Amino acid sequence: MWPTLISAQSKSDVPNRFPAELDAYIAKAVEDWEIPGLSIAIVRNDSVIVVKGYGVREMGKPDKVDEHTVFDAASLTKSFTATAVAMLVDEGKLRWDDPSRWLRFHLGDGTWEGRRLVSEAAMQEMHSPQLIIPTTPAFRTARLVNFFAAYGLGFQVMDYRGHPMLWHTGGGDGQLAYMALLPREKLGVAILVNTWIAPVIHGTLAARVLDTYLDITPLRDGSAEGLQGRPAQQQRTRDARKAVRDSIVRGSTPPRPLSAYAGSYIDSLYGDLTMRIERGALVLRMGREAADLVHRRAHTFLVRWRDPVFDELFTTNGTFTAGTSGAVDAFTMRLNRDTIAVRRVAER
């Protein structure tokens, strides 16, 4: 299943404990990156090394993050579904080429407390590279990849310093998640963060954990490296947002009354999106999020999210378009790297 990159036994001399140095490093990173709260779990040799929280559950409130704090694990939760799908594959009720194949994520090695829940064949299918990821010298240096990178069924499958690794990230509403497994070392780490303001910290801390238990010396200070570039990145973000907002023509009005844009819109992926007139202004609502639409030019509006985290990361433009009848029937906007294109539907 895995290329023979290293011996099957880990050569690390780090015992099954949570080093005080690693504990202090994580606590300092939480403080340096101004992260409200973070939770970490480390497992090794089928034992739980630590499950611990750092910081607070909510900014401005004293409640601490602990091992019972609920986080949004986002895409990591798909691994639980993938395990259930693998069990159905074993029972002959599904095949991996069914529409459910996108449920690719996996957690564990197919056994629990000595009982095999998923066959070795199904596990191998999930763990095996399915699509090679082309790499560059910069990619290999940044990811510490020596040999290969690929996608499995959900996991990214690559080596980390020569050790075969399964990993993936997740992002929810203002939260981040990261999970990495080194199968041959029986070592795994999961990190959950309750903010988007430090987008690299979960992977950085996971690398520090892996290096500690692989007995890598000297230990790389990825947190400090990331902090060096943070002010410049924050300034670029502020400049980009300012450029968008400065482009608004003061006093401009859309070519049609706001009622022409109000209504219900739908997308097969993102679901329902509504435009409503509230206190004389157009408001977009998508799930739990709301945004005020400020006219820029023609049928284009600035989308200003009311959630400050969303507004910081996803300030964008949205454009309405009209169909052959002349009525507004679609809306398009960029959200991070995705383009959301929704069609207008009749009011329900």
Side-chain angles (χ1 to χ4, degrees), residues 60-132:
K61 296 185 178 181
D63 295 339
K64 301 292 186 181
V65 173
D66 60 22
E67 67 274 20
H68 303 297
T69 302
V70 176
F71 280 80
D72 181 359
S75 290
L76 302 192
T77 61
K78 297 172 185 174
S79 60
F80 295 94
T81 307
T83 302
V85 171
M87 296 171 73
L88 294 175
V89 170
D90 285 344
E91 295 173 6
K93 297 178 180 178
L94 283 178
R95 298 197 317 259
W96 283 117
D97 57 358
D98 284 344
S100 60
R101 61 188 176 185
W102 67 272
L103 301 173
R104 301 171 178 174
F105 297 86
H106 168 77
L107 183 65
D109 63 359
T111 62
W112 177 253
E113 296 183 346
R115 179 188 175 195
R116 176 159 291 282
L117 302 180
V118 180
S119 70
E120 291 185 14
M123 294 300 299
Q124 182 171 348
E125 186 73 12
M126 284 188 279
H127 285 176
S128 297
Q130 307 291 328
L131 177 67
I132 298 299

Side-chain angles (χ1 to χ4, degrees), residues 194-217:
N194 62 1
T195 181
W196 280 342
I197 64 173
V200 300
I201 194 61
H202 51 348
T204 296
L205 293 180
R208 183 77 174 204
V209 169
L210 297 180
D211 287 353
T212 296
Y213 287 96
L214 290 174
D215 207 12
I216 301 296
T217 56

Side-chain angles (χ1 to χ4, degrees), residues 9 21 29 36 39 44 48 59-60 72 117 123 134 138 169 189 198 227 267-268 303 319 325 333 346:
Q9 297 296 320
E21 297 84 358
S39 180
R44 190 185 189 206
V48 177
M59 292 181 65
D72 181 359
L117 302 180
M123 294 300 299
T169 60
V189 56
L227 284 170
D267 176 76
S268 59
V303 180
T319 300
S325 67
M333 69 175 176

Side-chain angles (χ1 to χ4, degrees), residues 9-68:
Q9 297 296 320
S10 172
K11 297 181 180 180
S12 172
D13 294 324
V14 178
N16 279 4
R17 61 178 179 82
F18 187 45
E21 297 84 358
L22 180 57
D23 186 17
Y25 184 86
I26 296 171
K28 185 175 186 300
V30 170
E31 180 179 354
D32 289 345
W33 286 86
E34 300 176 319
I35 296 171
L38 177 149
S39 180
I40 185 169
I42 302 173
V43 297
R44 190 185 189 206
N45 295 326
D46 204 28
S47 296
V48 177
I49 303 299
V50 67
V51 178
K52 183 176 180 179
Y54 299 81
V56 296
R57 300 184 183 188
E58 185 175 347
M59 292 181 65
K61 296 185 178 181
D63 295 339
K64 301 292 186 181
V65 173
D66 60 22
E67 67 274 20
H68 303 297

Side-chain angles (χ1 to χ4, degrees), residues 161-184:
R161 298 185 182 274
H163 301 260
M165 179 174 74
L166 304 171
W167 72 281
H168 213 284
T169 60
D173 187 2
Q175 302 194 43
L176 298 169
Y178 189 101
M179 177 174 63
L181 301 171
L182 300 186
R184 289 187 172 177

